[in-house]
Amino acid sequence: MIGNERDVLLARARALAARSTHAEELATENALEILLVRLGPVQIGLATHAVVAVSRAPRVAPLPRAVAPVFGLAAWRGRPITVLTLTTTTNTETAHLLIVLGDGRRAFAGVLADDADDVVVVDRRQLAPSRSGPLARFALGVTPDGVLVLDPTRILDAARSAG
């Protein structure tokens, strides 16, 4: 059993090293770092340039008559934060995470997510256009793997105009 565990660990180390090498190759102006998150059964990518933090989902107070993507308010680090949802059916019972968006100096809003899977680097030139769907207005494109990549800046702009 010990030898088998060692083989597994060695394989993981090689995979992580290969991923690091790939990231270094993409370290150009075309590189885009994305956080892979799950919204229900769907996996999306959020460009990390505007991700301030990932934290446990706080208790959310829904706002009556809120205009999408605004869903409600929550406390984050002792301050109120606008909570956004990127799906038409928000289940605050299954949303385990709050992806906090901002500009580096200040957090502006948080997006509810069920899970965060990984941070990966993709080549912007390989993103295909996203032409339809409820999230198309926030999209930077779709990866070759079929992951919809969203621009948090566009999400924040929509939240500001809705409020």
Side-chain angles (χ1 to χ4, degrees):
M1 188 76 169
I2 301 259
N4 192 19
E5 290 175 3
R6 185 169 188 258
D7 293 340
V8 170
L9 290 174
L10 188 57
R12 281 183 78 193
R14 286 185 181 134
L16 288 172
R19 191 180 323 172
S20 175
T21 303
H22 180 66
E24 290 169 6
E25 289 172 4
L26 286 176
T28 67
E29 62 204 37
N30 294 315
L32 178 64
E33 188 178 64
I34 59 173
L35 172 65
L36 298 174
V37 298
R38 292 216 170 270
L39 306 174
V42 178
Q43 183 180 50
I44 65 159
L46 287 169
T48 60
H49 69 272
V51 174
V52 173
V54 177
S55 68
R56 239 184 252 155
R59 186 180 221 180
V60 179
L63 287 173
R65 295 189 289 256
V67 177
V70 175
F71 176 73
L73 291 174
W76 184 71
R77 295 186 179 173
R79 298 184 61 198
I81 190 168
T82 303
V83 176
L84 311 174
T85 181
L86 299 177
T87 61
T88 55
T89 57
T90 299
N91 187 347
T92 56
E93 300 297 319
T94 62
H96 300 293
L97 297 176
L98 184 70
I99 313 299
V100 182
L101 306 178
D103 65 2
R105 296 183 316 254
R106 186 173 155 216
F108 293 111
V111 174
L112 289 174
D114 295 333
D115 201 5
D117 295 328
D118 201 357
V119 174
V120 297
V121 177
V122 297
D123 188 338
R124 288 179 191 268
R125 297 170 297 189
Q126 293 183 347
L127 294 177
S130 172
R131 294 193 171 93
S132 63
L135 300 176
R137 65 185 172 145
F138 308 130
L140 290 172
V142 179
T143 68
D145 298 340
V147 175
L148 179 65
V149 179
L150 304 180
D151 183 353
T153 306
R154 294 179 189 172
I155 297 168
L156 288 172
D157 290 344
R160 286 185 194 114
S161 66

